[in-house]
Amino acid sequence: MRIAMVSDPTVSDQDPQVTRLAAGLTGAGHRVTVYTRSDKESLPMGEFTEFLARRFRQRPPDLVHAHCWTAGLAALMAAANAGAPLVQTYHGLGAGQSDRHTIERMLGRKAQLVLAGDNDERDRLVRMGVPRGRISVVPCGIDLNRFHPEGEVATRGARHRLLGLGAVVPGHGFDRIIEVLPAVPDTELVLATPNSRSTVDGDELRRIKQLAQARGVADRVHLLGMVTARALPPLLRSADALMCLPRNGSCGSLPLAAMACGTAVIATGEGELADTVVHGVTGLHVRPEDPRGLAKALRGFLADPAMIESCGVAGRDRVSARYSWDRVVADTDRVYERVVAGDVVPAQRRGR
């Protein structure tokens, strides 16, 4: 197939996913072209749309796959004019953003197929009015050659280590961990941003530091800042658990990376995390809004070395079986074939 992938790096941090998927599909014999909007947010989106329309006229694709909602908006008309079916992946739905929600709903109804990252996203799309027959669940992939249990381990002391990764922004949930840390003795919290694109909000960073000071745990909260791609796997291997407690948004592929490294994940058990983390097997589902319960769960987990180890082993097994790039590429290839063959619910059958 001639596949056109469209992404917008100014909105979503999904570039590595697009790159790996494109490479895997090329290896499977397809011809893949990736169209990416300039990373300058000041450039009009309309120019990207017009560029796609011209290119699709010159090189008509068999299928267009848009990654994130703005890319879908840019690709929708260009794909229709070229007579190519549109596959839409959101990489996270916009909760509470009315304009974005309206566009996501429209794209879901007009695209020939929507790829949801997990069962929760699939159910949300159905509630938005996307026919269930035009939704397939294909999760993000993880590089098992880069993330694995063997290899260098970042230096740590005798304390237990909890790890928080991601953007330093309100709602990411780092404060939830600091709030209960006084009730979890002999434990340190390491916070880091995993790449140069991770946002660091200055006000939120100051608030985290002040909170750690106010709770008397400043000596147990370590802010590493940005860690390099090379340093991330050793850091993951050094932790007893990766903490994923966002109030909103997504932890992306970081829980998968931790599990691939043999590290347990302690998460909210909501959204994509409900699929990724199996409670009591690869980590724990916790309720961050219950600080006492969260502290008790952390103490019990960290006091059980056999539990820590077994969750790490099970996590690696789960990622290898379900989230390897070989599996994700094969699953994507199969749904592409369905779309091109017309074996999906027609877009005009809305609401059924």
Side-chain angles (χ1 to χ4, degrees):
M1 285 181 278
R2 297 183 302 275
I3 301 165
M5 287 195 181
V6 184
S7 70
D8 183 358
T10 67
V11 174
S12 177
D13 210 11
Q14 30 71 15
D15 272 7
Q17 294 287 323
V18 175
T19 301
R20 288 303 304 266
L21 181 59
L25 290 166
T26 299
H30 301 295
R31 286 172 285 175
V32 183
T33 304
V34 179
Y35 298 94
T36 307
R37 181 188 177 195
S38 167
D39 59 5
K40 294 182 179 179
E41 295 187 32
S42 60
L43 291 180
M45 195 66 182
E47 291 186 11
F48 188 34
T49 304
E50 293 171 4
F51 170 80
L52 291 175
R54 290 195 302 270
R55 291 301 294 265
F56 290 178
R57 284 194 298 268
Q58 296 165 359
R59 302 177 183 177
D62 295 313
L63 177 144
V64 178
H65 187 170
H67 294 264
C68 88
W69 65 282
T70 54
L73 188 60
L76 179 63
M77 189 60 69
N81 290 340
L86 176 66
V87 175
Q88 176 68 46
T89 297
Y90 293 102
H91 296 280
L93 295 168
Q97 303 177 46
S98 59
D99 291 343
R100 175 175 168 180
H101 177 78
T102 300
I103 294 172
E104 289 174 340
R105 186 181 184 207
M106 179 271 294
L107 287 171
R109 292 183 167 193
K110 289 185 176 294
Q112 276 64 45
L113 190 73
V114 177
L115 297 187
D118 53 71
N119 292 326
D120 179 76
E121 184 178 350
R122 178 200 59 199
D123 294 343
R124 290 175 63 190
L125 287 165
V126 171
R127 291 194 293 271
M128 286 166 56
V130 181
R132 187 176 292 270
R134 286 197 289 111
I135 306 172
S136 289
V137 176
V138 178
C140 293
I142 197 70
D143 185 350
L144 298 181
N145 292 320
R146 179 186 173 201
F147 296 103
H148 52 81
E150 298 78 24
E152 182 184 355
V153 178
T155 303
R156 58 174 282 182
R159 288 172 171 166
H160 296 294
R161 172 173 286 184
L162 301 176
L163 178 62
L165 293 173
V168 182
V169 294
H172 197 83
F174 291 154
D175 57 333
R176 289 173 152 178
I177 316 169
I178 295 173
E179 288 281 5
V180 302
L181 201 58
V184 187
D186 301 320
T187 303
E188 65 179 2
L189 171 62
V190 175
L191 301 177
T193 54
N195 59 62
S196 58
R197 282 190 174 179
S198 296
T199 303
V200 177
D201 182 291
D203 290 339
E204 181 66 8
L205 182 60
R206 283 190 290 273
R207 190 176 78 87
I208 287 174
K209 291 179 179 179
Q210 291 169 358
L211 180 62
Q213 192 72 40
R215 296 294 181 270
V217 294
D219 63 323
R220 293 197 279 137
V221 176
H222 309 293
L223 304 171
L224 297 188
M226 197 269 286
V227 295
T228 65
R230 182 178 179 180
L232 183 56
L235 182 60
L236 286 166
R237 294 184 196 112
S238 75
D240 294 297
L242 174 70
M243 302 293 294
C244 296
L245 308 179
R247 288 183 175 83
N248 48 59
S250 166
C251 290
S253 62
L254 291 171
L256 299 179
M259 290 161 61
C261 288
T263 298
V265 179
I266 297 177
T268 60
E270 300 174 354
E272 64 191 28
L273 293 168
D275 280 0
T276 306
V277 181
V278 181
H279 179 67
V281 178
T282 67
L284 298 178
H285 290 167
V286 295
R287 297 176 60 240
E289 64 275 11
D290 175 14
R292 285 189 177 183
L294 175 57
K296 181 179 179 180
L298 289 174
R299 288 195 302 268
F301 178 81
L302 295 173
D304 190 345
M307 178 71 166
I308 295 172
E309 183 176 357
S310 66
C311 283
V313 172
R316 174 67 185 187
D317 289 345
R318 178 167 172 76
V319 168
S320 299
R322 183 67 188 94
Y323 299 96
S324 72
W325 271 113
D326 287 345
R327 170 74 183 269
V328 171
V329 169
D331 287 351
T332 304
D333 200 350
R334 279 192 289 272
V335 297
Y336 281 179
E337 290 178 358
R338 284 181 53 210
V339 173
V340 172
D343 186 23
V344 292
V345 178
Q348 62 267 25
R349 290 174 59 186
R350 296 174 185 167
R352 295 187 182 181

